[in-house]
Amino acid sequence: MRTHVAQLRRQLATLDGGARRIHARAGGYLLEVRPGELDAERFERLAAAGHRALLAGDDEAAAETLGRALALWRGHPLGNLAPTTAVEAEAQRLLEARLAAVEHHCRARLNLGACAVVAAELRVLVAGHPLHERLWALLVLALAAAGQPAAALDAYDTITSRLAGELGAEPGPDLREAQLAVLRHQAVSAPSPLRPAQLPRAAAGFRGRRTELLALDRLLPGGDGPRLGVVTGTAGVGKSDLATQWAHRVRDRFPDGQLYADLRRSASPGPVLGRFLRALGVPARQIPDDVDEAAALYRSVLADRVVLCVLDDALDPAQVRPLLPAAPHCVVLVTSRNRLDGLVALDGAWRVTLDVLDAADAVAVLAAAIGPGRADGEPAATAELAETCARLPIALRITGAQLRHRAGRRVADHLADLRAQGVLDGLTTDGETSAVRGAYDLSYAALDPAARRTFRLLGLVPGPDATPAAVTALTGDPDATAGRHLERLALAHLVQEHAPGRYRLHELLRRYAAERADVECSGEERDTAMRALLGHYLAHTGAAAELLYPDVLRQSAPQPGCGFDSEEAARTWLDDEVPNLVAAIRHAHAHGFHSQAWQLVDTLRGHCMTTWLVEGPELARIGLAAADATGEADVRAAAHNNLAVTCALRYDFEPAVTHFRAALARYREFGFRQGVVSVLENLATLHLFTGDLDRASLLFAEAAAFGPTRNAVCRRNIAVLHEHRGRLAEATAVHTSLAADARCADDLVLLAGVRARAADYETALPVAEEAAELAGRANDRWTEACAFAVLSRIHAGTGDAERAARFAEEALETGRGLGDPGVEIAGHAALALSRLAGGHHERALLSGHHALRLARRTGLRFDECEALITIGRAHRAAGAHEQAGHYLGAALQLAKAHGYHGLAAVAAEA
């Protein structure tokens, strides 16, 4: 699979000017599809444009655009996928969208006079959709317009008989209006004299929300979807704008009018019912004072009408229910800051939840406000301003309006001032009142005191999200209580459960929560909450480290009362929480929680080492600074050791030696034998990989004198020392013993590598395959890449050059993005050997020189020597004996200088 993907990636890059279109992701691959490349996306865009043209009266443009949209269709959508619930739902959505486009296309062409052609097409369509009333209504109109009124009335009789016989239903308004049009010899029936049009003006600069607009189309009459929609989301996210925008787009589907009410201004539904009934033609004196009676009259008035009702900013279901018509062709769209679960569960509402805008749409909103020229002139600052406004529509519009009226002001300068002033303070509409803060105040005030406290303490969380367990620690509440508060905040859209059991606040809400904490919580309460949260992180990180990295020396002791059921659970927790842990370490050090900062760094070091965490060097430096702030010698020694290991793993050997020596001196000062042993072994390993085998041997021996019991990591490195000296039998024995103790992927890949070096390919192969399988199962990409490189060497040794090349490419592909040159060297070295085995000498030289450059840059002398040998052999195989002698001579000289006796023999024999 990976080989095929690698080939696809190369071919796509060739077709696309070198651009990378397939990206590796955990668990699979992502194909980058750009705007306009996906057929379904192009169809939906064209269909929407055609519908807008139809609404605007431009029938010619509508017919042309909708025709292009329908021309994209080929067969049944997603027909080559297994019929799962999700696939079938998406296929049905696409089919319904196609049917709507067909209807609009027919209507546009009818308006242009293509009556006979459209009538013929509609006969085919109604045969496939025998109960689709709007298609039948169009057929009736098309036949009448084509001069066939008798056929039109026959068609009407056919569908009404079917509706009565199969569904026991009467014809809907579309069919009735079509019949009247035929009978009265006119294109449309006369409009009602009382047709309310109460929709507020659509917001200027509306951008994006395409998915949500399409979702709301399910509410339209004529289909089998719900007739009650709920748009929910946090304050300022654009709920009212979306509802108004959609209502204007579909208003032609509601010939009897559109009703609108802002429910935030009217806690009781009674006054709203009165306004609606008067708008629908009911005299004021006939409107009952009793809400239930008024609601019954409202339902009666709408019984035979097709009306859209938009109820904005509802507080709860009780405020909405009296305003719901019973008529099947009326649609109600509600917006609310609360989730209105009652309307969904009991009234069958279709809910659309709004999040902040995506990055591109947020920039588009800003560009619309300030002018595309200014946005294009400062793209980075515009994108950063959108992020600073949390991609929240209300904030984007306010800051855009501020910039629009200051034409000479740079976007970057406005951004700097906004940050300096404070984002919430800067987002004002009248120079005095923060519109965003005011919107949040309403939601915050509606909470009970306990939920308000949880919300403001969430503003203290340094990381991107929090689990219920973290919130329990932060607030000091019992688990069940913290869970209830989180649910209450989620209902009010003041937090978002963006993944199961993970809650976050977008940036402006976080700022608002922190602001409330500063105002309403004492300094002692804030410090207590933060210490408790850091303690939670430390306890769980320590438990995970104890299970996953037992051989990694840690200064901080495990915290009681916390554990994981399995290594998988511990690894999953660490992977999920790393962004929070990194943020917590930064926050702890910056705010004087030095003890917690160094303990978290110390506890996390095993995970940083094995996953090549990109923030690893920064955390190690923070750990040392925090340790220095405590003044404790043992803590400072551990921090120096951690920073040294971090530098060594990134091939930054000079500072690594400096910090190892500092750690060693401090450990010796207070006689911490385990620390001395650990640092000596680390120093020995560093010298091993930089080619000073004698120094490495002395340091391993000195460590053994302090602590004769060696852990698995030390034994593994001593086996590598044997391998570098050419003592393959001794190296094999140690690796075999380690692999027997625990079938660890690291040990297996090293064992397979030594056996392959000894040309024992038959026994090496199953061991390397097992190592690759175990590493892949654990998502350990580093070890998996090394296993693939060893498998490549094995197959090259047995003469299977094609398979060897595939595994070498797998090694490079798997290791890509890890940031470890050692893995890249192994991949290129294996690829050079595979190409040499296949007789591709020039390509072998390319890969060999790549490995050589990386080895010299990182200071890995053993790998440098191997690369020189491979290059020399490639030159010799190509007949360039002088150049072969040059590289093999250099390899022999290097091998003798560093004590690589095995490689020296290979170089001399080659």
Side-chain angles (χ1 to χ4, degrees):
M1 180 69 177
R2 291 191 181 95
T3 302
H4 293 322
V5 170
Q7 292 170 352
L8 280 172
R9 180 178 283 129
R10 284 196 298 273
Q11 293 191 36
L12 285 173
T14 302
L15 294 170
D16 201 18
R20 189 177 179 86
R21 299 296 293 275
I22 300 179
H23 307 277
R25 292 290 185 271
Y29 296 94
L30 175 72
L31 174 63
E32 178 185 336
V33 181
R34 293 174 182 166
E37 291 183 341
L38 190 65
D39 55 355
E41 181 183 79
R42 291 173 62 196
F43 164 75
E44 289 171 350
R45 189 180 68 248
L46 288 168
H51 189 208
R52 287 196 299 272
L54 181 64
L55 295 179
D58 190 349
D59 297 314
E60 198 166 334
E64 190 274 334
T65 306
L66 289 162
R68 284 196 287 134
L70 293 169
L72 294 171
W73 276 77
R74 298 289 186 278
H76 191 81
L78 309 180
N80 60 328
L81 297 183
T84 65
T85 301
V87 167
E88 289 178 344
E90 177 62 6
Q92 185 60 35
R93 185 188 71 80
L94 289 169
L95 286 170
E96 290 171 359
R98 179 180 184 274
L99 202 56
V102 167
E103 178 188 341
H104 297 149
H105 190 223
C106 289
R107 192 177 295 277
R109 288 185 298 149
L110 272 179
N111 294 342
L112 292 171
C115 306
V117 175
V118 172
E121 292 176 5
L122 284 167
R123 284 196 182 277
V124 176
L125 285 168
V126 296
H129 303 277
L131 295 175
H132 197 291
E133 292 190 48
R134 288 200 309 276
L135 291 179
W136 277 97
L138 277 176
L139 176 59
V140 170
L141 292 173
L143 289 169
Q148 303 177 57
L153 293 174
D154 283 342
Y156 176 82
D157 291 339
T158 300
I159 180 59
T160 53
S161 297
R162 285 182 182 173
L163 289 171
E166 296 183 32
L167 302 179
E170 294 293 325
D174 289 328
L175 278 170
R176 292 197 304 273
E177 287 175 9
Q179 182 201 31
L180 285 172
V182 177
L183 294 173
R184 296 174 183 174
H185 306 288
Q186 57 185 26
V188 292
S189 58
S192 168
L194 293 173
R195 184 179 181 274
Q198 297 182 344
L199 294 178
R201 184 166 165 265
F206 183 90
R207 294 293 186 278
R209 303 300 194 197
R210 187 168 59 89
T211 301
E212 292 84 355
L213 288 168
L214 288 172
L216 290 178
D217 284 345
R218 284 197 61 189
L219 303 172
L220 290 173
D224 57 357
R227 296 291 172 266
L228 172 60
V230 176
V231 178
T232 66
T234 191
V237 81
K239 303 178 294 296
S240 299
D241 287 348
L242 176 71
T244 305
Q245 191 78 19
W246 180 80
H248 278 285
R249 283 166 52 130
V250 301
R251 61 186 302 169
D252 68 308
R253 303 290 292 273
F254 300 92
D256 295 321
Q258 306 88 41
L259 300 168
Y260 174 86
D262 182 352
L263 297 187
R264 177 68 64 173
R265 298 178 180 176
S266 179
S268 168
V272 178
L273 280 168
R275 290 200 302 274
F276 281 0
L277 286 167
R278 288 192 296 274
L280 292 166
V282 178
R285 63 181 180 277
Q286 295 180 15
I287 298 174
D289 293 331
D290 181 80
V291 171
D292 290 338
E293 291 182 12
L297 177 59
Y298 171 70
R299 292 193 296 272
S300 299
V301 170
L302 292 179
D304 293 317
R305 300 197 191 188
V306 184
V307 169
L308 171 64
C309 178
V310 178
L311 303 175
D312 201 12
D313 215 357
L315 296 173
D316 54 47
Q319 192 185 24
V320 171
R321 286 195 177 104
L323 303 171
L324 299 180
H329 299 292
C330 289
V331 170
V332 179
L333 182 58
V334 184
T335 74
S336 179
R337 302 180 188 199
N338 298 314
R339 285 202 319 231
L340 301 185
D341 287 345
L343 288 183
V344 175
L346 302 179
D347 298 276
W350 168 257
R351 182 164 54 202
V352 174
T353 302
L354 287 193
D355 199 352
V356 296
L357 293 167
D358 64 33
D361 287 337
V363 169
V365 169
L366 269 181
I370 68 176
R374 294 174 75 183
D376 292 343
E378 296 181 77
T382 303
E384 201 170 345
L385 179 58
E387 292 298 325
T388 301
C389 292
R391 292 186 263 126
L392 195 70
I394 188 175
L396 293 167
R397 291 213 177 96
I398 292 170
T399 204
Q402 292 168 339
L403 264 170
R404 183 172 61 247
H405 296 300
R406 303 182 68 178
R409 184 172 177 78
R410 295 175 64 246
V411 177
D413 294 337
H414 181 77
L415 173 63
D417 286 350
L418 187 64
R419 287 174 170 168
Q421 183 180 0
V423 180
L424 287 174
D425 288 327
L427 294 171
T428 61
T429 53
D430 55 12
E432 297 180 2
T433 305
S434 170
V436 177
R437 186 185 287 112
Y440 291 158
D441 283 343
L442 290 172
S443 296
Y444 182 69
L447 298 172
D448 61 82
R452 283 203 294 270
R453 176 177 179 270
T454 298
F455 173 74
R456 57 182 177 261
L457 289 180
L458 281 170
L460 305 178
V461 175
D465 63 9
T467 62
V471 176
T472 294
L474 183 74
T475 62
D477 293 326
D479 291 347
T481 303
R484 284 197 303 273
H485 291 166
L486 282 171
E487 180 61 18
R488 176 68 186 90
L489 294 173
L491 283 169
H493 287 285
L494 287 170
V495 300
Q496 179 190 29
E497 189 177 8
H498 68 99
R502 307 199 71 84
Y503 295 83
R504 70 182 178 195
L505 291 75
H506 68 65
E507 188 55 35
L508 291 184
L509 266 176
R510 182 195 298 273
R511 290 174 187 266
Y512 178 78
E515 186 180 90
R516 297 261 54 85
D518 286 342
V519 172
E520 299 181 44
C521 296
S522 67
E524 182 181 358
E525 184 182 6
R526 294 195 300 271
D527 285 351
T528 299
M530 183 52 62
R531 285 195 178 90
L533 179 64
L534 294 172
H536 161 80
Y537 287 143
L538 183 59
H540 284 75
T541 307
E546 193 72 17
L547 194 59
L548 296 172
Y549 314 110
D551 293 328
V552 176
L553 176 67
R554 293 189 303 279
Q555 190 71 17
S556 53
Q559 303 292 311
C562 179
F564 293 95
D565 296 335
S566 64
E567 290 187 6
E568 182 181 359
R571 189 175 289 109
T572 299
W573 187 89
L574 276 177
D575 289 341
D576 290 342
E577 291 293 337
V578 156
N580 289 319
L581 296 174
V582 170
I585 290 167
R586 290 169 176 160
H587 180 89
H589 180 54
H591 292 81
F593 298 96
H594 299 302
S595 177
Q596 291 88 342
W598 77 255
Q599 287 183 79
L600 275 170
V601 172
D602 183 63
T603 307
L604 194 59
R605 62 190 296 259
H607 192 68
C608 289
M609 289 162 52
T610 56
T611 62
W612 278 76
L613 189 67
V614 67
E615 297 91 354
E618 178 198 356
L619 298 186
R621 289 191 293 271
I622 289 176
L624 180 57
D628 286 341
T630 67
E632 300 175 39
D634 56 340
V635 173
R636 296 175 68 197
H640 275 292
N641 185 44
N642 182 29
L643 183 53
V645 170
T646 302
C647 292
L649 284 172
R650 283 153 180 82
Y651 305 92
D652 196 2
F653 296 125
E654 187 175 338
V657 171
T658 300
H659 287 292
F660 275 137
R661 287 174 176 167
L664 187 61
R666 284 165 176 77
Y667 277 137
R668 279 178 165 154
E669 279 177 17
F670 58 86
F672 183 39
R673 187 174 67 177
Q674 189 179 0
V676 171
V677 170
S678 176
V679 176
L680 287 172
E681 289 174 350
N682 286 335
L683 264 173
T685 302
L686 186 150
H687 288 298
L688 164 63
F689 287 102
T690 55
D692 192 347
L693 303 190
D694 292 337
R695 181 66 178 153
S697 296
L698 288 172
L699 289 167
F700 277 130
E702 187 179 352
F706 274 89
T709 302
R710 285 170 166 161
N711 62 32
V713 175
C714 180
R715 291 168 62 198
R716 192 179 295 150
N717 288 326
I718 289 173
V720 174
L721 175 62
H722 291 321
E723 181 181 357
H724 284 195
R725 286 200 185 280
R727 300 170 183 167
L728 300 186
E730 295 173 62
T732 302
V734 176
H735 286 314
T736 302
S737 172
L738 286 167
D741 290 343
R743 302 303 282 180
C744 170
D746 288 333
D747 294 321
L748 291 171
V749 77
L750 289 169
L751 174 58
V754 174
R755 287 179 175 174
R757 192 178 298 284
D760 186 4
Y761 302 123
E762 186 176 350
T763 59
L765 180 59
V767 177
E769 288 174 337
E770 184 181 357
E773 182 184 354
L774 288 174
R777 198 182 303 159
N779 199 26
D780 181 355
R781 290 172 57 201
W782 188 92
T783 306
E784 189 179 21
C786 293
F788 287 144
V790 172
L791 281 166
S792 175
R793 287 175 174 265
I794 293 169
H795 288 297
T798 60
D800 191 344
E802 185 179 349
R803 185 171 292 181
R806 284 205 303 269
F807 275 114
E809 289 172 350
E810 282 288 290
L812 288 169
E813 177 65 27
T814 305
R816 200 183 307 277
L818 290 177
D820 184 356
V823 173
E824 195 174 350
I825 291 169
H828 283 290
L831 191 56
L833 289 174
S834 71
R835 288 171 169 173
L836 184 58
H840 304 293
H841 307 134
E842 291 297 324
R843 297 172 70 190
L845 286 171
L846 285 173
S847 296
H849 276 290
H850 201 134
L852 178 62
R853 283 193 299 272
L854 283 171
R856 282 176 170 168
R857 192 171 72 206
T858 54
L860 298 178
R861 298 302 178 207
F862 190 82
D863 294 293
E864 179 186 352
C865 190
E866 277 201 313
L868 288 167
I869 292 171
T870 301
I871 293 170
R873 290 174 59 197
H875 278 301
R876 178 155 295 168
H881 297 288
E882 184 177 346
Q883 289 173 297
H886 167 74
Y887 283 100
L888 291 170
L892 181 60
Q893 184 179 355
L894 185 65
K896 287 180 176 179
H898 290 282
Y900 301 145
H901 304 307
L903 292 185
V906 173
E909 292 172 4

